[in-house]
Amino acid sequence: MAKKSLIQREKKRQKLEQKYHSIRRSSKEEISKVRSLSDKWEIYGKLQSPPRNSAPTRLHRRCFSTGRPRANYRDFGLSGHILREMVHACLLPGATRSSW
């Protein structure tokens, strides 16, 4: 189980990303429309003004049940370890067991 503080930090990053998503998208659209280099630099400056944690690259997928940040399967939202346990317990329909 991941530490509660790390999970809360990740939730805070998700909220920040949603808050600043429209600002980032509009700034990037402006950059593609503008031709002069000096105007592009000004817009790049605006892109750097939001907080760092609002960037989508800072987000990290975590396991739905344990909060583990590594070895996550996007289709299930679970880490590999938990996914294997659930498949062996027949809790995921359609998933086949393997011995690894």
Side-chain angles (χ1 to χ4, degrees):
M1 185 82 181
K3 290 172 65 174
K4 301 274 186 195
S5 60
L6 296 178
I7 294 172
Q8 292 302 320
R9 187 183 305 162
E10 197 66 37
K11 288 181 181 178
K12 181 181 176 184
R13 285 182 182 149
Q14 287 175 349
K15 288 180 185 176
L16 277 173
E17 196 272 333
Q18 290 173 353
K19 181 179 178 182
Y20 290 99
H21 179 74
S22 60
I23 295 170
R24 287 182 182 278
R25 188 179 62 230
S26 63
S27 297
K28 289 183 179 183
E29 288 174 0
E30 285 181 41
I31 289 172
S32 64
K33 293 177 184 176
V34 173
R35 296 290 180 204
S36 67
L37 191 60
S38 60
D39 292 339
K40 284 188 178 187
W41 284 112
E42 289 178 21
I43 298 170
Y44 278 127
K46 290 179 186 175
L47 261 177
Q48 293 176 355
S49 62
R52 284 185 179 175
N53 282 336
S54 68
T57 55
R58 292 251 176 168
L59 294 177
H60 207 114
R61 266 187 198 83
R62 290 189 170 267
C63 177
F64 180 72
S65 63
T66 61
R68 188 172 193 269
R70 299 180 182 209
N72 285 323
Y73 288 86
R74 290 183 184 186
D75 296 338
F76 300 101
L78 299 168
S79 64
H81 176 69
I82 300 299
L83 179 70
R84 182 171 187 262
E85 287 180 358
M86 290 181 79
V87 168
H88 282 281
C90 298
L91 297 174
L92 293 175
T96 58
R97 295 178 9 172
S98 64
S99 57
W100 26 282

